[in-house]
Amino acid sequence: MQDTVLIVEDEPDAVDLLRYNLERADFDVLVAMTGDRGLAVARESRPDIVILDLMLPGMDGHEVCRAMKGDTGTEAIPVIMLTARSEPGQRVKGLEIGADDYVTKPFSPRELVLRVRAVLRRHRTMPRSEIVSFDGLTLDRTKFEARLDGERIELTATEFKLMCVFVERRGRTLTRETLLRDVWGYQTSTLDTRTVDTHVRRLRDKLGTCSARLETVRGEGYRFAAEASP
Amino acid sequence: MQDTVLIVEDEPDAVDLLRYNLERADFDVLVAMTGDRGLAVARESRPDIVILDLMLPGMDGHEVCRAMKGDTGTEAIPVIMLTARSEPGQRVKGLEIGADDYVTKPFSPRELVLRVRAVLRRHRTMPRSEIVSFDGLTLDRTKFEARLDGERIELTATEFKLMCVFVERRGRTLTRETLLRDVWGYQTSTLDTRTVDTHVRRLRDKLGTCSARLETVRGEGYRFAAEASP
DNA sequence: CCGCAATGTGACAAAGCCGTCACATTCGCA
DNA sequence: TGCGAATGTGACGGCTTTGTCACATTGCGG
């Protein structure tokens, strides 16, 4: 049972070097030599991690990373960017886009393998207690438990999922279609269902003083406010 | 509400530069100029992140990092290591010890601030996908989803919780009392209930080929085997 | 101001979940 | 080998969850 690394890199020599070292370190290796192809492979194959060169023909590394992070299916895949030493500005830009790490060319293969392992380890370890806590609200995924100012809120499975999605993406408006896909797992949504509305209502009922924070964005969907209102 | 950065660095010029830029970026800054002092401050003050130079008088950066990661109170504090360009081997060593990132001197202050932010964001953001995966079994806490060899297993909320507890503690026998406490949240257990047995049965029914792995330990409880049986 | 679309609210009923019971089977010990 | 405790299995029914409907209310644009 091996982890899969996707290499997105246009220089054949660099590809061979990377592939050799990663395979020797017991990774399965996929390769794409253009950004477009890399993105397609990432979407199809869901590798465990992507090593992404910045300088690519066509769609460049930044664009690939941005597209991956903006796509539900691939946003969770960690990305290590390869940059040339003469591109200090590009490193900053990569971090801003959401890359998980970067490695400067030329690099030692050993260092890269260690980087891959470190990023995967970070990404994969199940935290003992998966708690998000802010503004008096606490969500504990290990215990499937929500609390408001220390008092436990009894949520059903669906309500808890809905709450988690809202909290993760607080400040962003989520359409009903998005919620149906991400909370209910529907692939094709029935656009005239009121299911989401009903569950939002129930969630609001249970949130008490916090319910005003679950805002309606008319014509678009719902949003959990990023900041507590004054 | 500002994050606290601890700088452990012996060069006064570097300290001033770091402090200035971090304070301008709205961080609270603590400073220690030796490794020993840095470790003591980390233990007392529990900063949000530590920027740690490798070359320090007395206890060096590696030793400080190792001590932090080996101490329950400070192991969760992310560490960014500062290395000189002439020390490529030290970078690998830092990563092996458990440093979260490193920055090579000389560095742009802007890049360092972005690095601090990126590491804190990673450290603090609820992971997008909280997945445990082994032996063909995948538990995704973000989606409340279990899969066996890629096929989705439909588990109820209770079954999923039970499965998570078994998987987290695989190899260990869990008494019925423990499971009632940890899965059901009972404070005082009714010792003659068959609730756990029933749910284990249901979980086994759904696990198919994997069910043999959920073993009965007669007179004690249940155990999810650590290794797949041959 | 009016009309219409969007959203909130009260309520219903089907389906599912859960804990329990009764009986069957297995295991371990004398 | 026999017995009793421990565990497995089939089934039941009460309660909860869920999605839907009908009507009420709100917000926005003409």
Side-chain angles (χ1 to χ4, degrees):
Chain A
M1 177 66 193
Q2 290 163 312
D3 288 328
T4 306
V5 182
L6 168 61
I7 302 170
V8 188
E9 163 68 72
D10 63 323
E11 294 173 35
D13 288 351
V15 170
D16 289 345
L17 180 69
L18 286 170
R19 188 204 293 257
Y20 174 72
N21 281 280
L22 288 165
E23 284 178 345
R24 268 184 73 242
D26 278 333
F27 290 102
D28 285 335
V29 178
L30 302 175
V31 175
M33 304 193 79
T34 66
D36 306 64
R37 184 68 198 139
L39 187 57
V41 173
R43 282 175 173 158
E44 281 167 32
S45 304
R46 304 278 177 93
D48 296 290
I49 187 167
V50 174
I51 299 179
L52 183 57
D53 189 31
L54 278 192
M55 305 300 295
L56 292 170
M59 200 180 193
D60 76 9
H62 287 131
E63 287 166 329
V64 175
C65 186
R66 190 182 283 114
M68 280 182 63
K69 297 298 178 185
D71 180 330
T72 306
T74 53
E75 68 184 340
I77 302 176
V79 173
I80 298 183
M81 280 193 171
L82 303 181
T83 70
R85 182 161 290 158
S86 57
E87 295 167 330
Q90 303 282 24
R91 292 189 298 183
V92 175
K93 191 174 174 187
L95 292 169
E96 284 175 338
I97 290 174
D100 294 87
D101 206 350
Y102 70 86
V103 174
T104 309
K105 296 176 175 177
F107 47 80
S108 93
R110 185 162 174 239
E111 179 187 346
L112 186 89
V113 170
L114 284 170
R115 279 292 179 88
V116 168
R117 287 209 179 113
V119 170
L120 283 175
R121 189 177 63 244
R122 229 155 47 207
H123 186 72
R124 184 163 292 156
T125 302
M126 182 188 288
R128 294 292 169 78
S129 194
E130 302 164 21
I131 296 180
V132 176
S133 202
F134 64 96
D135 295 339
L137 185 66
T138 303
L139 290 189
D140 183 341
R141 271 229 180 84
T142 304
K143 296 182 184 174
F144 295 85
E145 188 175 276
R147 286 179 185 271
L148 181 60
D149 296 321
E151 297 301 313
R152 181 170 174 160
I153 311 173
E154 295 291 340
L155 300 182
T156 66
T158 303
E159 285 161 7
F160 190 82
K161 280 171 76 174
L162 188 59
M163 191 61 188
C164 286
V165 170
F166 276 130
V167 166
E168 259 174 48
R169 308 182 197 174
R170 55 190 183 273
R172 289 169 52 189
T173 301
L174 306 176
T175 64
R176 283 172 184 80
E177 187 171 352
T178 292
L179 290 167
L180 284 170
R181 196 185 63 226
D182 295 343
V183 176
W184 277 267
Y186 292 175
Q187 310 285 19
T188 60
S189 58
T190 308
L191 288 179
D192 60 348
T193 187
R194 303 291 308 285
T195 298
V196 172
D197 305 78
T198 299
H199 282 86
V200 168
R201 161 187 47 185
R202 291 191 177 123
L203 186 52
R204 278 173 171 155
D205 287 347
K206 294 184 179 179
L207 287 179
T209 57
C210 212
S211 62
R213 200 154 170 191
L214 219 184
E215 302 166 338
T216 303
V217 183
R218 190 177 174 85
E220 291 186 26
Y222 297 98
R223 172 180 64 211
F224 196 84
E227 315 287 340
S229 49
Chain B
M1 175 70 196
Q2 290 164 312
D3 288 327
T4 306
V5 183
L6 168 61
I7 302 170
V8 188
E9 163 67 71
D10 63 322
E11 295 174 36
D13 287 353
V15 170
D16 289 345
L17 181 68
L18 285 171
R19 186 204 292 258
Y20 174 72
N21 281 280
L22 289 165
E23 284 176 345
R24 267 183 76 240
D26 279 334
F27 290 103
D28 285 336
V29 178
L30 302 175
V31 174
M33 304 192 79
T34 67
D36 305 64
R37 185 66 195 141
L39 187 58
V41 174
R43 283 175 173 159
E44 281 167 31
S45 305
R46 303 278 178 93
D48 296 291
I49 189 166
V50 176
I51 298 179
L52 183 57
D53 188 30
L54 279 191
M55 305 300 296
L56 293 169
M59 197 178 196
D60 75 10
H62 287 131
E63 288 166 328
V64 174
C65 186
R66 189 181 284 114
M68 281 182 64
K69 298 297 178 186
D71 180 330
T72 306
T74 53
E75 68 183 343
I77 302 177
V79 175
I80 298 184
M81 280 192 169
L82 303 181
T83 69
R85 183 161 290 158
S86 58
E87 296 168 329
Q90 304 283 22
R91 291 190 298 187
V92 175
K93 192 175 174 186
L95 291 169
E96 284 176 339
I97 291 174
D100 293 88
D101 206 351
Y102 69 85
V103 175
T104 308
K105 295 174 175 179
F107 48 80
S108 93
R110 184 166 174 234
E111 179 187 345
L112 186 87
V113 170
L114 284 171
R115 278 290 180 91
V116 168
R117 286 208 178 115
V119 168
L120 284 174
R121 190 179 62 240
R122 232 159 43 210
H123 185 74
R124 185 164 290 157
T125 302
M126 183 188 291
R128 295 292 170 79
S129 194
E130 301 165 22
I131 295 181
V132 177
S133 203
F134 63 97
D135 296 339
L137 185 67
T138 303
L139 289 190
D140 183 341
R141 270 229 180 84
T142 304
K143 296 183 185 171
F144 297 85
E145 187 175 277
R147 285 179 184 271
L148 181 58
D149 295 321
E151 296 301 314
R152 181 168 175 162
I153 311 175
E154 296 290 340
L155 300 182
T156 67
T158 303
E159 285 159 10
F160 190 82
K161 279 171 75 172
L162 188 58
M163 190 62 189
C164 286
V165 170
F166 275 133
V167 165
E168 260 173 42
R169 308 181 199 174
R170 52 191 185 271
R172 291 169 50 190
T173 301
L174 306 175
T175 63
R176 283 173 185 80
E177 187 171 357
T178 293
L179 291 167
L180 285 169
R181 195 186 62 225
D182 295 344
V183 176
W184 278 267
Y186 292 174
Q187 312 283 18
T188 60
S189 59
T190 308
L191 288 178
D192 59 348
T193 186
R194 302 292 304 288
T195 298
V196 172
D197 306 76
T198 299
H199 282 85
V200 167
R201 161 186 47 182
R202 290 190 177 127
L203 187 50
R204 278 175 171 153
D205 286 347
K206 295 186 179 181
L207 288 180
T209 56
C210 213
S211 63
R213 199 155 171 189
L214 219 182
E215 301 166 340
T216 302
V217 183
R218 191 181 173 87
E220 293 189 27
Y222 297 98
R223 173 182 64 210
F224 198 82
E227 314 289 341
S229 48

